[in-house]
Amino acid sequence: MRQISNRFGNQMVHQNLNLDVYRGEIIGLVGGSGAGKSVLLRTAIGLNKPDTGEIILNASPIGVLFQHGALFSSMTVAENVALPLIEHTRLSRAQALHLAQIKLALVGLNQQAGEQYPAELSGGMVKRAALARALIREPDIVFLDEPTAGLDPLNAAAFDRLIKTLSKALGLTVVLVTHDLDTLYAICDRIAVLADKRIVAVDTVAKVVANPDSWIQSYFHGPRGRAAAHAARKEV
């Protein structure tokens, strides 16, 4: 991203923002409420055209996991996962559904889960199904919007491990928007901090935590930040 600016009416959300994402990394995007994290994600995937600047995306296709899964309630889980193949390839419906079951197995869901409807799944299973859909077209890069939001700590930790495992096994580049400090410490190679309409820091977790910026200090050194750092040290 080069010199990205986004404006809505009189509100400037991003101004001259720059960010590089490296192939094969997991990078976490953090920022305060209303900082424009989701807007930046939508801009990156082409759903929002920036007012100024350019985006060079050297990957095709891309995968997206939306907040809360965004599965279609009238379709089975397998049909949801197969939909991008049905819409964008020449595969038959049967072939697409077969590949959907393979991707569901990859994220830890069995055939029975694929035959159910989203309303019949737990929150963690919905997230896994949405991740399977994001992976169905073998993308080079996936964008995840608050992937652990709404999950209990155990399911959130399991989902973090799944993302890290798939990233390493498939060579995936992962860009995730999150406020989950445990996720940042557990799986992110780098963190990009969005504040004051731009990226104010982007580096490894250890280096970002040491940044003197006032928002970074309050975010990473508050009670939750200290607890997440302590948990990460215990894991090591």
Side-chain angles (χ1 to χ4, degrees):
M1 290 184 161
R2 291 290 179 269
Q3 298 294 306
I4 297 295
S5 295
N6 283 308
R7 180 193 297 273
F8 297 98
N10 294 324
Q11 182 184 8
M12 181 69 77
V13 181
H14 306 125
Q15 188 169 23
N16 299 328
L17 180 150
N18 296 288
L19 179 64
D20 289 319
V21 175
Y22 304 140
R23 185 176 296 277
E25 75 171 343
I26 300 176
I27 183 169
L29 178 64
V30 300
S33 179
K37 301 184 296 297
S38 292
V39 172
L40 190 61
L41 189 67
R42 291 198 298 271
T43 302
I45 64 177
L47 294 180
N48 179 71
K49 185 177 180 180
D51 291 277
T52 65
E54 67 173 348
I55 300 167
I56 302 170
L57 186 60
N58 187 23
S60 181
I62 63 172
V64 182
L65 188 157
F66 298 96
Q67 273 194 55
H68 313 301
L71 300 179
F72 294 103
S73 60
S74 61
M75 297 180 177
T76 67
V77 170
E79 288 170 338
N80 268 280
V81 176
L83 186 61
L85 295 179
I86 294 171
E87 292 289 327
H88 298 290
T89 73
R90 295 182 178 181
L91 292 175
S92 68
R93 179 181 176 84
Q95 289 171 322
L97 288 170
H98 175 68
L99 291 173
Q101 289 292 357
I102 293 174
K103 281 296 186 287
L104 286 168
L106 187 67
V107 300
L109 295 177
N110 59 26
Q111 184 173 347
Q112 181 180 356
E115 295 169 352
Q116 292 179 296
Y117 288 87
E120 299 174 297
L121 301 184
S122 67
M125 293 171 75
V126 167
K127 295 280 189 179
R128 288 172 182 262
L131 181 58
R133 184 177 62 184
L135 297 174
I136 191 66
R137 295 188 67 201
E138 306 289 341
D140 296 317
I141 184 170
V142 290
F143 295 87
L144 314 180
D145 194 1
E146 297 285 5
T148 59
L151 299 182
D152 63 75
L154 289 178
N155 275 312
F159 200 76
D160 283 341
R161 290 192 297 270
L162 176 63
I163 293 171
K164 187 170 185 177
T165 297
L166 292 175
S167 174
K168 302 309 177 188
L170 304 177
L172 280 175
T173 304
V174 179
V175 180
L176 59 91
V177 171
T178 186
H179 65 275
D180 192 328
L181 285 153
D182 290 323
T183 297
L184 296 174
Y185 277 100
I187 68 171
C188 289
D189 299 303
R190 292 193 304 150
I191 298 173
V193 180
L194 179 58
D196 299 325
K197 305 178 181 63
R198 59 190 178 87
I199 300 296
V200 298
V202 55
D203 215 319
T204 62
V205 178
K207 290 183 178 179
V208 168
V209 169
N211 190 295
D213 179 87
S214 59
W215 187 88
I216 293 174
Q217 287 296 304
S218 62
Y219 184 77
F220 284 98
H221 294 283
R224 291 187 177 182
R226 291 194 297 270
H230 178 69
R233 286 193 295 270
K234 287 180 64 178
E235 286 290 330
V236 173

